[in-house]
Amino acid sequence: MRSWRPDLTEKDVTPKETYLRRREILQMGAAGATTLLVPSLAKAGEPQGQQLTVARKIEKAGGEGLTSWDSVTGYNNFYELASDKESPARSAGSLKVRPWTVSVEGEVKQPQKIDIETLLRWFPLEERIYRMRCVEAWSMVIPWTGFPLADLVKRLEPTSRARFIAFETLFDPEQLPGQKRPLLSWPYIEGLRIDEATHPLAFLSVGLYGRVLPGQNGAPLRLVVPWKYGFKGIKSIVRITFQETQPKTAWAASQPSEYGFYANVNPEVDHPRWSQARERRIGEFLRRKTLPFNGYADEVVSLYSGMDLRKNF
Ligand SMILES: Nc1nc2c(c(=O)[nH]1)N[C@H]1C(S)=C(S)[C@@H](COP(=O)(O)O)O[C@H]1N2
Ligand SMILES: [Mo]
């Protein structure tokens, strides 16, 4: 996010299939265009990858339209892969998601290393449709597949001293070549207070659109916290540490004046370099008003009663 601005170009507000087709049509001229249209229309937006079995679906985006598969999987922030938004989809093949182990450490009954396949057997999968809002003032509506973070926390039995959970992304510069450059201090770290982590909206995702999560979206396991800015949603998690002290999260450590620990979506607290009052929903042209806590205020505001949210941004 360093030196980023809300930097949408026409291709972000035009459905990708339209944008690509228009570019091809311009290159090919009118004659070629007619033959091209049929196959590319049939392919546009089709979810791909292994299907997951979903036990139930929970719609939490007020019926708003889903962001297309192409946009959700083709417009990503994953600095360990690339610092632009189109490249992660092309370069995610370097990330090997099997075998994969999640290490559970710190203030917890039984520190342990959990194989991802074991973790997946512990919980039935749900689909959760959530609005997501990036700190860069764009947003999406995403059908995640996964399970509530609260279910995992409960099963792991944190001790009474655990007040926070820290999450860590894989560190392996061969698989994640962005880690060869000190863009952030690697590995990427994010965190939540225990009461935030056990809120029913906090979610761990293993899929999208009922398909297994693509690498660029944070396979095989990533955090989803719909009332917070997107950077809280740490990808490709290998370590979960229960601790007494507030984790030093990657973005807050690198730019403390711009990115806080809480990162609750707040239209009244601007980023130092741009407004947070509005956002561009990917696929739409006009900006929308950003809602406090990204529209989830009724459900989460009590977590922050008595806190000054201008100081704790
Ligand atoms: N490890 C890691 N996790 C990350 C990031 C990152 O660069 N590295 N980017 C964050 C940001 S800024 C956003 S907006 C979301 C984007 O998730 P998406 O690409 O699945 O939409 O991932 C978050 N998680
Ligand atoms: Mo973001």
Side-chain angles (χ1 to χ4, degrees), residues 131-147:
R131 280 184 294 269
M132 305 301 296
R133 167 62 157 82
C134 179
V135 74
E136 293 172 279
W138 48 266
S139 61
M140 299 191 185
V141 176
I142 301 184
W144 298 106
T145 312
F147 52 89

Side-chain angles (χ1 to χ4, degrees), residues 23-246:
R23 198 175 53 182
E24 287 165 307
I25 290 166
L26 288 173
Q27 284 167 355
M28 295 177 69
T34 37
T35 49
L36 187 89
L37 272 172
V38 177
S40 67
L41 267 178
K43 267 193 295 177
E46 286 292 322
Q48 287 165 33
Q50 185 202 326
Q51 257 173 314
L52 298 167
T53 307
V54 173
R56 61 172 181 158
K57 300 191 178 196
I58 301 176
E59 208 284 340
K60 296 291 282 181
E64 290 176 29
L66 300 182
T67 303
S68 73
W69 166 266
D70 285 355
S71 292
V72 176
T73 62
Y75 188 83
N76 300 100
N77 271 342
F78 200 163
Y79 269 49
E80 290 90 331
L81 288 171
S83 52
D84 70 296
K85 296 186 179 35
E86 284 76 27
S87 301
R90 290 191 294 264
S91 59
S94 60
L95 173 63
K96 298 281 165 271
V97 299
R98 290 295 188 282
W100 191 274
T101 307
V102 180
S103 180
V104 175
E105 300 177 13
E107 294 293 339
V108 67
K109 188 175 178 190
Q110 174 78 65
Q112 58 188 300
K113 293 195 186 331
I114 310 167
D115 185 78
I116 187 76
E117 309 293 358
T118 306
L119 190 61
L120 283 167
R121 278 194 296 273
W122 284 356
F123 311 106
L125 296 182
E126 300 177 358
E127 178 170 285
R128 295 281 185 101
I129 300 179
Y130 283 156
R131 280 184 294 269
M132 305 301 296
R133 167 62 157 82
C134 179
V135 74
E136 293 172 279
W138 48 266
S139 61
M140 299 191 185
V141 176
I142 301 184
W144 298 106
T145 312
F147 52 89
L149 175 55
D151 291 356
L152 177 63
V153 173
K154 198 172 157 200
R155 174 152 185 152
L156 296 174
E157 297 186 66
T159 72
S160 59
R161 289 148 71 104
R163 292 182 53 233
F164 295 90
I165 308 181
F167 301 87
E168 210 177 292
T169 296
L170 174 70
F171 179 75
D172 182 342
E174 295 310 312
Q175 294 188 51
L176 297 171
Q179 292 172 334
K180 292 176 181 167
R181 294 183 299 146
L183 215 54
L184 285 175
S185 73
W186 310 113
Y188 196 104
I189 300 214
E190 259 307 335
L192 296 170
R193 249 176 22 205
I194 284 275
D195 58 339
E196 297 179 310
T198 53
H199 189 282
L201 287 172
F203 202 61
L204 283 169
S205 166
V206 299
L208 274 180
Y209 273 90
R211 307 293 179 126
V212 76
L213 201 60
Q216 64 269 29
N217 292 92
L221 183 72
R222 63 88 57 82
L223 182 63
V224 176
V225 194
W227 70 95
K228 293 177 181 280
Y229 291 118
F231 66 89
K232 296 299 284 184
I234 181 169
K235 297 178 169 183
S236 307
I237 297 167
V238 292
R239 194 187 319 279
I240 299 178
T241 308
F242 290 80
Q243 56 193 60
E244 261 184 287
T245 52
Q246 184 173 301

Side-chain angles (χ1 to χ4, degrees), residues 257-272:
S257 62
E258 304 197 354
Y259 310 106
F261 174 78
Y262 283 93
N264 290 318
V265 174
N266 191 341
E268 286 173 11
V269 177
D270 288 339
H271 184 281

